[in-house]
Amino acid sequence: MTEQSFCGGDRIVGIIDFGDMVWGARVHEVAIVLAYAMMGRDDFREVYQEVIDGYQEVIRLSDIELSVLYYLVAARWCQTMVMAARQTKANPGNAYHQISVEGAQTMLHEWVKANPVGIDMDVKNVKGGAILRSPVKDVNGVAVLRSPVEDVKGVGAILWSPVEERYRYFSRAVSLSYKEPIQMVGAAMQYMYGAEGRTYLDCVNNIPHVGHCHPKIVEAGQRQMARLNTNTRYLYNSLDRYAEKLLSKFPPSLNKVFFVNSGSAATDLAVRLAEAHTRQCEYLVLDYAYHGNTKAAIGLSPYKFNRKGGGGKPENVTILNLAPAPGPPPDLLDLPPAPGPPPDPLLRKEGEKSPRTFFAESIVGCAGQIVLSKELMQQTVKEVRGSGGIYVADEVQTGFGRVGHKFWAYELYDVVPDMVILGKPMGNGHPMGAVVCTEKIARSFETGMEFFSSFGGNPVSCEIGLAVLEVIEEEGLQENAKLVGDYLIGELKSLLGEQSAIGSRQSAIGSRQEPVGNRDAFLDLSTLSAVRNSRHVSRVMYHVSEVKGSGLFLGIELVETETGKPATVAATSIVNAMKERGFLLSTDGPYNNVIKFKPPMCFSLKNAEELLASLKSEFFGGNNK
Ligand code: PMP
């Protein structure tokens, strides 16, 4: 390359290496420049815009080119890391190969967090650039979707209410989270992307167990879907491979598996298996347990049958409370008693010797992440077995390494179930469920009637399930759950007893707080903030009274300091405020005063630090002081 190329001289000023030349799309060069220009920069969003701006002063990029830039930049950082690994393998002594790896890794994480929707929105300000996505604004409860082409072609704003849209086609029984629900348009790992361009750190969705849209899981599903999808009436390799891998996670006595498509279907099947085996339909369940949405599962779920709209406890069900230290008796609190009888270790009705099936969530999620008493669990299981009954562990919420210290939460109690129900995390969002049981129980079900599930155990599900198990191992996710969970428990416990204040809504909701359903947890935000800010409303002190759970399955219980009553308003207010800060959490427990935490398992220590900092400032900062 001579000076002539630039200013007419013939001195050599550079060399173009045509050996590195490849044919590619023009936009790739923008992506490569961006990847290096942004690396190590905290203001990478501005850099992104400036570079695109500058480029477009000479060459206009098309809408399609702009729309793929985000992913091309990410691809370049991936390429940097892959190439570094390859070169280092070939030439281990050369440290230079690693020069960009840390930067690329950090940027990739920041990039995922920055989110494609948000980045696209930034690009709308680029000179001459098209608007790629549309912001959603809430005006008096009506979301205003600004047309993507509005500024370009002068088209007016489109009025649209996604909440109204929801209930045009669905019953109000299908609820939404948060007073101002979020319109979600994407997700990656532990982050979710709102249509308004915000990134939310997902602290509550345990279904995308190994991370939202994990590439290995997506690829496994896509690959198998393109090859073969059929059912268990045929022989195919992935079914056996998956069954073998899944059963290897259980003790030898649990050696048979049935595949279905949800936790509810697993509960339903477990009921049939139990009845075929015990020839009884008497059940013991834990207080506040939830086992699914089928008729049989609702009948075993005090969380449903004992609350709003529920039909009450069925005759054949006995409720147990095996929590180690039940809270203060309700009469001390001037509260209606929590639904269900008080703790009752009596398993048999007077004089009765009948076998019963004991259904137990290994940590009771809807009760507020209640870890059970090891002694009571062992005693109960012994008693149940002594009278010919069986113990069914519901691991739908707690399985697959979530509790950190063990792969299955029932292992926390040193008991081995006769049957285990699986669901949610099994397929990372792909609908999967299973019942794992003993040989004897499986035999009792061989009555001549076929068991068939059209979709349970199909090859696509099996490949996805296998990939989930592999990712848990490859990425050390159980160990991560232990590390991050232990850290969070330690930090949260240091807050125990520290007091804060919130305006009381007592006058608005009456002097008694009723146990509330999940939907009621999301009280009116404007009322809440008015309550928090008003000088005229009496302020109620509250504090963290207990930190419950294990690993990445935790509950933070809040109570009013003076009365010991559940601090439902504070918990609800904090969850809504945390959403505004970009953290997704929820409340649960009989009084919705337990803040629930059960994120994807890739939730990092850094995420935990961010969560703690925001929680602390919500607990103790600003108006709460
Ligand atoms: N068991 C437990 C403990 C659950 O939490 C749930 C769902 N929340 C179920 C069973 C039912 O699972 P699904 O919603 O997949 O039917």
Side-chain angles (χ1 to χ4, degrees):
M1 189 164 50
T2 66
E3 272 176 354
Q4 195 147 22
S5 339
F6 299 104
C7 50
D10 56 6
R11 202 162 56 91
I12 293 173
V13 292
I15 295 168
I16 295 178
D17 179 1
F18 287 101
D20 268 359
M21 196 171 72
V22 289
W23 183 91
R26 187 180 56 188
V27 70
H28 288 171
E29 68 185 27
V30 191
I32 293 165
V33 169
L34 281 167
Y36 288 100
M38 288 193 288
M39 202 178 278
R41 297 278 297 255
D42 291 339
D43 60 345
F44 62 86
R45 280 173 176 267
E46 285 79 39
V47 174
Y48 188 71
Q49 285 200 350
E50 271 169 35
V51 170
I52 297 175
D53 247 350
Y55 192 87
Q56 295 218 104
E57 277 179 16
V58 184
I59 302 171
R60 271 292 297 271
L61 291 165
S62 69
D63 288 2
I64 292 177
E65 284 174 315
L66 282 169
S67 72
V68 294
L69 258 180
Y70 173 91
Y71 300 98
L72 290 178
V73 171
R76 178 65 192 189
W77 287 321
C78 293
Q79 200 175 19
T80 300
M81 290 190 284
V82 171
M83 287 307 290
R86 187 176 172 208
Q87 309 276 39
T88 304
K89 197 170 173 194
N91 192 354
N94 189 345
Y96 184 74
H97 293 318
Q98 292 290 318
I99 194 90
S100 301
V101 168
E102 207 185 314
Q105 223 162 20
T106 310
M107 285 311 298
L108 252 184
H109 190 102
E110 289 303 318
W111 203 230
V112 169
K113 209 166 155 185
N115 108 38
V117 187
I119 294 287
D120 282 357
M121 279 175 182
D122 290 348
V123 175
K124 89 177 178 150
N125 297 321
V126 173
K127 265 182 236 149
I131 301 167
L132 304 173
R133 295 281 196 289
S134 36
V136 176
K137 225 174 144 195
D138 202 283
V139 179
N140 298 333
V142 178
V144 179
L145 177 68
R146 295 175 68 83
S147 159
V149 285
E150 179 188 10
D151 296 354
V152 181
K153 294 187 184 154
V155 179
I158 300 164
L159 277 183
W160 165 63
S161 163
V163 176
E164 264 178 33
E165 183 87 356
R166 157 71 65 95
Y167 294 115
R168 185 183 306 163
Y169 304 116
F170 296 96
S171 145
R172 295 263 162 195
V174 183
S175 75
L176 282 161
S177 287
Y178 306 109
K179 176 65 189 166
E180 290 175 43
I182 310 170
Q183 175 100 12
M184 289 296 184
V185 292
M189 307 312 282
Q190 63 271 52
Y191 300 104
M192 297 188 80
Y193 308 142
E196 79 286 20
R198 288 197 65 182
T199 300
Y200 296 91
L201 177 59
D202 188 353
C203 308
V204 79
N205 289 291
N206 56 345
I207 298 171
H209 192 66
V210 302
H212 289 272
C213 307
H214 191 292
K216 185 161 172 170
I217 313 301
V218 172
E219 200 270 330
Q222 287 175 336
R223 185 178 11 92
Q224 188 59 41
M225 219 180 285
R227 189 175 292 159
L228 169 75
N229 201 9
T230 183
N231 61 62
T232 50
R233 287 196 180 125
Y234 300 95
L235 296 170
Y236 45 91
N237 190 262
S238 44
L239 182 69
D240 303 331
R241 273 177 33 242
Y242 181 45
E244 186 182 4
K245 177 93 183 162
L246 183 65
L247 290 174
S248 76
K249 300 286 179 191
F250 289 94
S253 61
L254 291 163
N255 58 6
K256 286 281 185 281
V257 59
F258 294 85
F259 289 121
V260 287
N261 307 108
S262 68
S264 303
T267 299
D268 213 86
L269 176 60
V271 166
R272 289 180 58 204
L273 282 158
E275 291 182 6
H277 187 70
T278 64
R279 299 185 181 278
Q280 290 281 336
C281 50
E282 290 282 320
Y283 294 93
L284 297 166
V285 298
L286 295 177
D287 203 2
Y288 255 78
Y290 176 66
H291 295 292
N293 60 30
T294 63
K295 194 166 169 12
I298 294 286
L300 298 176
S301 304
Y303 180 68
K304 291 288 182 192
F305 66 62
N306 261 342
R307 300 172 87 214
K308 263 190 193 168
K313 187 182 77 60
E315 285 251 308
N316 60 338
V317 171
T318 301
I319 300 176
L320 301 173
N321 186 336
L322 302 185
D331 55 333
L332 277 185
L333 301 181
D334 183 28
L335 291 171
D344 176 12
L346 263 188
L347 305 182
R348 239 177 279 122
K349 287 174 192 157
E350 201 69 31
E352 192 182 38
K353 265 279 179 194
S354 68
R356 293 187 185 196
T357 300
F358 172 42
F359 265 82
E361 271 182 75
S362 302
I363 295 181
V364 197
C366 296
Q369 317 291 70
I370 305 278
V371 180
L372 304 167
S373 145
K374 188 169 169 176
E375 291 69 35
L376 288 178
M377 269 301 275
Q378 292 183 348
Q379 212 178 301
T380 307
V381 172
K382 196 169 162 210
E383 182 111 356
V384 164
R385 288 207 176 115
S387 59
I390 58 171
Y391 158 42
V392 184
D394 184 335
E395 291 280 342
V396 169
Q397 293 269 359
T398 51
F400 295 91
R402 174 152 298 276
V403 297
H405 295 258
K406 302 284 179 187
F407 196 80
W408 306 112
Y410 69 73
E411 295 176 89
L412 296 171
Y413 313 117
D414 286 335
V415 280
V416 176
D418 303 290
M419 211 172 346
V420 182
I421 301 167
L422 304 176
K424 285 182 191 284
M426 226 179 146
N428 212 48
H430 180 76
M432 292 175 70
V435 179
V436 173
C437 66
T438 61
E439 179 98 44
K440 270 190 175 168
I441 294 176
R443 279 229 191 93
S444 305
F445 201 53
E446 291 170 4
T447 57
M449 183 194 285
E450 178 198 26
F451 172 75
F452 178 66
S453 163
S454 298
F455 304 121
N458 72 68
V460 172
S461 299
C462 290
E463 289 297 325
I464 288 174
L466 257 172
V468 168
L469 290 172
E470 282 165 11
V471 172
I472 293 171
E473 287 169 10
E474 285 162 9
E475 298 185 8
L477 294 180
Q478 182 185 334
E479 295 73 20
N480 185 59
K482 180 169 179 293
L483 180 80
V484 179
D486 285 354
Y487 166 74
L488 270 171
I489 290 173
E491 292 293 311
L492 289 166
K493 283 201 167 162
S494 74
L495 305 180
L496 283 176
E498 241 182 273
Q499 289 170 24
S500 189
I502 189 162
S504 168
R505 242 169 68 99
Q506 298 296 71
S507 54
I509 60 173
S511 61
R512 285 161 73 86
Q513 284 173 307
E514 304 288 336
V516 281
N518 221 8
R519 285 163 54 187
D520 306 317
F522 303 104
L523 302 172
D524 188 295
L525 241 206
S526 52
T527 316
L528 281 169
S529 59
V531 165
R532 294 178 100 182
N533 298 332
S534 168
R535 288 203 205 107
H536 307 293
V537 183
S538 65
R539 294 173 88 67
V540 175
M541 302 303 290
Y542 71 87
H543 64 267
V544 177
S545 56
E546 220 180 311
V547 179
K548 305 163 186 229
S550 176
L552 293 180
F553 198 68
L554 304 179
I556 310 162
E557 187 180 70
L558 301 182
V559 301
E560 291 182 9
T561 303
E562 210 172 297
T563 60
K565 287 180 185 177
T568 306
V569 172
T572 306
S573 163
I574 287 165
V575 165
N576 276 298
M578 286 295 287
K579 178 212 133 193
E580 297 307 312
R581 287 172 177 265
F583 297 86
L584 303 179
L585 289 155
S586 68
T587 59
D588 223 326
Y591 303 103
N592 270 322
N593 62 326
V594 179
I595 298 176
K596 251 169 117 160
F597 171 79
K598 45 181 186 127
M601 298 272 282
C602 47
F603 197 91
S604 66
L605 267 182
K606 190 156 176 275
N607 294 145
E609 284 164 7
E610 293 161 352
L611 171 70
L612 277 169
S614 279
L615 263 182
K616 281 183 196 170
S617 83
E618 269 312 315
F619 282 164
F620 310 117
N623 292 322
N624 276 353
K625 268 265 181 254

